[in-house]
Amino acid sequence: MRVLGIETSCDETGVAIYDTDRGLLSDTLYSQIAMHAEFGGVVPELASRDHTRKLLPLIQEVLDRAGLSRQDLDGIAYTAGPGLVGALMVGASTAHGMARALGIPVLGVHHMEGHLLAPMLEDEPPEFPFVALLVSGGHTQLVEVHGLGQYHLLGESVDDAAGEAFDKTAKMLDLAYPGGPEVARLAEQGDPLRFRFPRPMTDRPGLDFSFSGLKTHTLTTLNALRDSDQLDAQGRADIARAFEEAVVDTLVIKCRRALDQTGLKRLVVAGGVSANARLRERLGNEVAKRGARAYYPRGRFCTDNGAMIAYVGAQRLLAGEHDSEAMQAVPRWPLDRLTPPAA
């Protein structure tokens, strides 16, 4: 089954074709980062307009790369949520229009289910069951996964997600958007011993996260240096290092607890923050101590992409799921409300 995947949940237009027999045939991604950078964050109306402008040419591009025509497609999957409602509507309306014209099934896919299963696109995918850390700009969640649609939420952020905290810290440090990679680059120059920031919610049991207080502590430290005329380039780097170390430590501690609590030996890490090199190094060491293994998507599939949507859509379409005539656009959609495909 050849499935076209469309991702338009935020500021990246991703398109891919996945074949259930041959794997990923082609994929492409257009990022709006340059457009939104001057505003320091995503402008929803501009995002929607740019998706409208780029989506159809990108669909043709992946078809040409795969040597296929639209008539060769067996189904279409699109991101139905969560995300920016206007951006979601662009992908949903395009997918439904194409599917109706071609007479093939169409299905709205959960964006975070795409991230969760993105490592399945790798040469050595994880087997079920596993613990998943979903860590991005909008989500920080630990999930126990026993199969497609079989998700038990273990813990999540009660305020800012880790990626959101990275972006806000980048703004404090006058770094470019998107902030996560910029903070990580600056942290490489920082002294790890100068500051020690709190590891939020690690001094109590449980698997929930909170990064709002860490963000406030970062701002307080930054202002203290500024008020004492000590805020130079090295000071900014030292703050970036302390912040990154605190986030990484917190995520590692919670993942360790989740593995111990579930008794599982496989950890999937996905979402934009999963590309952070320090996080990968620390988690790799931690799971190895437990005789476990960590799995990640390749770099370009850590952030939003069409391949993960095509993959999840293909699995669910193959099982007989599809939309009714009504398209879906769900800005808020808890992952644990998903269910397995009907037998």
Side-chain angles (χ1 to χ4, degrees):
M1 186 178 198
R2 288 182 292 266
V3 175
L4 175 71
I6 296 172
E7 157 59 28
T8 62
S9 66
C10 190
D11 61 344
E12 285 156 327
T13 314
V15 184
I17 299 173
Y18 183 84
D19 188 311
T20 52
D21 293 324
R22 298 167 55 199
L24 185 65
L25 300 184
S26 64
D27 70 283
T28 191
L29 181 72
Y30 171 76
S31 174
Q32 302 175 359
I33 285 176
M35 179 179 67
H36 296 292
E38 68 174 290
F39 304 102
V42 178
V43 181
E45 178 63 25
L46 295 180
S48 301
R49 291 180 183 180
D50 221 33
H51 286 309
T52 301
R53 182 172 65 90
K54 298 296 293 187
L55 184 52
L56 288 178
L58 291 176
I59 290 172
Q60 190 59 53
E61 180 181 327
V62 295
L63 286 168
D64 291 343
R65 286 185 182 180
L68 301 174
S69 69
R70 296 187 182 191
Q71 287 69 31
D72 294 317
L73 297 173
D74 301 303
I76 301 176
Y78 65 94
T79 300
L84 303 174
V85 66
L88 294 170
M89 289 291 291
V90 175
S93 59
T94 301
H96 269 259
M98 282 186 61
R100 177 168 291 193
L102 295 170
I104 57 178
V106 59
L107 178 67
V109 167
H110 194 291
H111 179 76
M112 296 310 295
E113 185 173 35
H115 277 303
L116 189 153
L117 297 179
M120 297 299 186
L121 293 163
E122 302 307 312
D123 292 337
E124 296 184 34
E127 296 180 0
F128 299 116
F130 54 77
V131 170
L133 172 65
L134 299 177
V135 58
S136 67
H139 298 82
T140 304
Q141 299 176 318
L142 279 164
V143 185
E144 186 175 355
V145 180
H146 285 271
L148 181 65
Q150 299 177 49
Y151 311 131
H152 172 59
L153 184 64
L154 299 171
E156 62 183 338
S157 180
V158 299
D159 43 53
D160 290 355
E164 184 180 5
F166 265 105
D167 287 339
K168 290 179 178 178
T169 296
K171 279 189 177 182
M172 296 178 203
L173 295 170
D174 297 321
L175 300 176
Y177 171 84
E182 296 299 319
V183 171
R185 275 191 282 271
L186 184 59
E188 290 297 320
Q189 306 166 34
D191 178 357
L193 301 179
R194 183 175 181 184
F195 301 111
R196 179 174 172 83
F197 286 3
R199 276 59 173 160
M201 295 185 72
T202 59
D203 58 350
R204 67 189 76 175
L207 295 172
D208 285 336
F209 302 88
S210 171
F211 294 104
S212 180
L214 175 60
K215 177 190 65 181
T216 302
H217 186 91
T218 303
L219 180 60
T220 300
T221 305
L222 185 66
N223 287 337
L225 290 184
R226 184 180 286 115
D227 292 343
S228 60
D229 293 323
Q230 298 180 49
L231 184 59
D232 54 12
Q234 187 60 50
R236 293 179 187 275
D238 294 343
I239 288 174
R241 181 62 178 265
F243 171 81
E244 184 185 50
E245 291 283 356
V247 173
V248 168
D249 272 358
T250 300
L251 295 174
V252 170
I253 289 168
K254 297 289 185 171
C255 286
R256 182 175 67 217
R257 288 183 186 175
L259 291 171
D260 290 345
Q261 178 178 310
T262 61
L264 296 175
K265 296 296 184 181
R266 288 179 286 270
L267 175 69
V268 162
V269 188
V273 181
S274 70
N276 182 279
R278 199 174 304 280
L279 177 63
R280 290 194 176 207
E281 178 185 4
R282 290 288 310 285
L283 279 175
N285 293 336
E286 191 63 40
V287 299
K289 294 176 185 176
R290 286 165 163 69
R293 179 176 175 183
Y295 297 83
Y296 307 89
R298 71 196 76 170
R300 74 176 193 271
F301 294 159
C302 289
T303 54
D304 296 349
N305 63 87
M308 67 184 191
I309 303 303
Y311 174 82
V312 172
Q315 308 312 308
R316 289 188 173 273
L317 284 165
L318 196 63
E321 289 191 27
H322 59 81
D323 282 0
S324 64
E325 291 189 0
M327 61 185 179
Q328 302 182 66
V330 189
R332 296 183 182 276
W333 188 4
L335 180 67
D336 55 359
R337 290 186 185 174
L338 294 178
T339 57

